[in-house]
Amino acid sequence: MSGQSITDRITAAQHSVTGSAVSKTVCKATTHEVMGPKKKHLDYLIHCTNEMNVNIPQLADSLFERTTNTSWVVVFKSLITTHHLMVYGNERFVQYLASRNTLFNLSNFLDKSGLQGYDMSTFIRRYSRYLNEKAVSYRQVAFDFTKVKRGVDGVMRTMNTEKLLKTIPIIQNQMDALLDFNVNANELTNGVINAAFMLLFKDSIRLFAAYNEGIINLLEKYFDMKKTQCKEGLDIYKKFLTRMTRISEFLKVAEQVGIDRGDIPDLSQAPSSLLEALEQHLASLEGKKVKDSTAASRASTLSNAVSSLASTGMSFTKVDEREKQAALEEEQARLKALKEQRLKELSKRPSFATTDTSPISTTGGPISTTPAIDLFSTPSCSNGAVKMESDLFDLQSTFQPSMQSGSTGLPVATTWAGYSTTQAPPQQSAGGLQVDFESVFGAKATGSNSLNSDDISGGILKPTFAGSNQASGQLPDKLVSDDLDSSLANLVGNLGIGNGTMKK
């Protein structure tokens, strides 16, 4: 069977409709394709575990639901995805799994669809047991043995005697569950089981490194322990020797399937004389007759054993650090590729420049500093002359600020009930307003005559024409009532000339 099945596509489409991106990605990571889960799907799920708004129980339940499938491929890939998130995801994912009473109940799983289904079902049952034990270990000690700090000041090296004697058996149980996967090189025949084996291989290196450091701490404390503690410690050490043999066989399988020899740590066996020294010390505490041994010889034996185990620990640590460095370089290369791709996309897009004065402007042309024309403002004058533009619509009126009162210089009442000193208006230059209204409106503008003495209201409301060779006291004729065009022409001319004044 190859490629996504119809069931895979329907399931993914259902989650697309419901809007659950997490569940959809889980389905895509656990399809019927006989290959390991795709990296892009695993990376997305890892990202989800780091997002606080993602429901971790929902993510875990989606994975548990996929393990109820009858296909060994879907179930195996569900376990692999769960293991991957336990190793590389946020710790709160492991915390949730550890808080559950039950995880994977696959001890009776069997795919009867074919011969390969029978074979793979065996490894599914073993694999699920290891993941269950990994979660139980976290529940018991509240940390992951594969992620603890190592070294002289590491967690296992600095643990006190009582806690150490309780913790090492937990590591042993997890190590037993891992080694019980018990696969041979000729059984790693497809991408699914190969993906599971690689995760187990990486776990075995880190887990045994923590196990090894716990044993070193135990040996350093052994000759200072009480009799009951020595008995427990001796039993723990004997089991350690057995598991060292089994881990050596597991690493040989890794080498046979093509894992680089530099990525496989070296195991250094402790001298057999150490076991004999431990047994004699316990016998002496129990009051049995033993061979005489000096403190110097016992210290020498212990020193050699610790040195040998420390060498093994360094080898495991180097391999783990190399693997972490390779993962870091891979991530950096991926980020660099994404950055280059992003820059290429940006370079293909048209650039949109914006001006400083307008955030919505899409062009970077020069900014016009010419003020807008205000038809209702009072323009400035220079030497009594009105500044005019060539455009007819730019015409602006100039108004005399006070009432006209000849040239007496006496204060008179203005239109706004104020008082000002009246000055004689300056003569207009020959270049004053020259407008040919006949050519514009088709009618000849009438001349300006003096205002009748009894026309008081007309004198106030109508402005004075400040044309060439005309006195400011002269006003234009009254509006022609029967000729609309002539009236409009007179009105426009009056508004463009000056301010009207009232004669006494």
Side-chain angles (χ1 to χ4, degrees), residues 430-444:
L433 178 64
Q434 300 294 333
V435 180
D436 188 359
F437 287 102
E438 182 178 7
S439 62
V440 175
F441 295 97
K444 183 69 177 179

Side-chain angles (χ1 to χ4, degrees), residues 46 67 120 144 165 223 227 400 466 478:
I46 290 173
T67 60
M120 294 297 108
D144 190 341
L165 293 174
F223 293 101
K227 181 175 68 174
Q400 298 296 334
K478 294 182 179 180

Side-chain angles (χ1 to χ4, degrees), residues 116-284:
Q116 191 177 33
Y118 275 96
D119 294 338
M120 294 297 108
S121 296
T122 302
F123 295 107
I124 287 175
R125 294 193 294 269
R126 296 173 182 175
Y127 194 28
S128 64
R129 178 176 175 268
Y130 169 71
L131 296 182
N132 287 341
E133 194 63 42
K134 186 178 177 71
V136 169
S137 297
Y138 189 94
R139 182 192 308 164
Q140 292 175 320
V141 298
F143 59 82
D144 190 341
F145 289 115
T146 63
K147 298 180 181 180
V148 295
K149 181 181 179 180
R150 295 194 291 269
V152 179
D153 58 343
V155 173
M156 299 304 297
R157 290 290 295 272
T158 58
M159 197 172 288
N160 60 50
T161 303
E162 291 77 12
K163 190 174 182 180
L164 185 65
L165 293 174
K166 293 178 181 179
T167 303
I168 293 181
I170 299 174
I171 301 181
Q172 288 178 339
N173 292 336
Q174 186 175 340
M175 179 62 71
D176 288 343
L178 189 151
L179 296 175
D180 285 343
F181 192 71
N182 196 25
V183 66
N184 296 321
N186 56 5
E187 292 172 317
L188 298 173
T189 56
N190 60 74
V192 180
I193 192 173
N194 290 349
F197 180 78
M198 285 302 300
L199 288 173
L200 290 172
F201 169 72
K202 293 176 181 179
D203 264 16
S204 67
I205 293 176
R206 298 166 183 155
L207 185 60
F208 190 83
Y211 189 15
N212 186 72
E213 291 193 348
I215 295 298
I216 293 175
N217 190 12
L218 176 69
L219 294 176
E220 291 175 341
K221 291 179 168 62
Y222 183 81
F223 293 101
D224 297 326
M225 292 180 182
K226 301 175 183 178
K227 181 175 68 174
T228 55
Q229 293 176 335
C230 285
K231 189 174 182 178
E232 290 180 34
L234 180 60
D235 183 61
I236 287 174
Y237 181 72
K238 288 180 178 179
K239 290 179 178 179
F240 172 76
L241 295 178
T242 303
R243 284 152 184 77
M244 181 173 279
T245 303
R246 294 187 63 190
I247 191 69
S248 178
E249 295 173 353
F250 183 85
L251 296 178
K252 287 181 180 178
V253 175
E255 186 177 358
Q256 291 172 2
V257 296
I259 295 179
D260 191 89
R261 187 68 185 85
D263 295 333
I264 300 176
D266 297 322
L267 292 176
S268 300
Q269 295 284 349
S272 57
S273 58
L274 174 62
L275 179 59
E276 183 180 353
L278 298 178
E279 292 174 339
Q280 288 182 0
H281 178 70
L282 177 60
S284 65

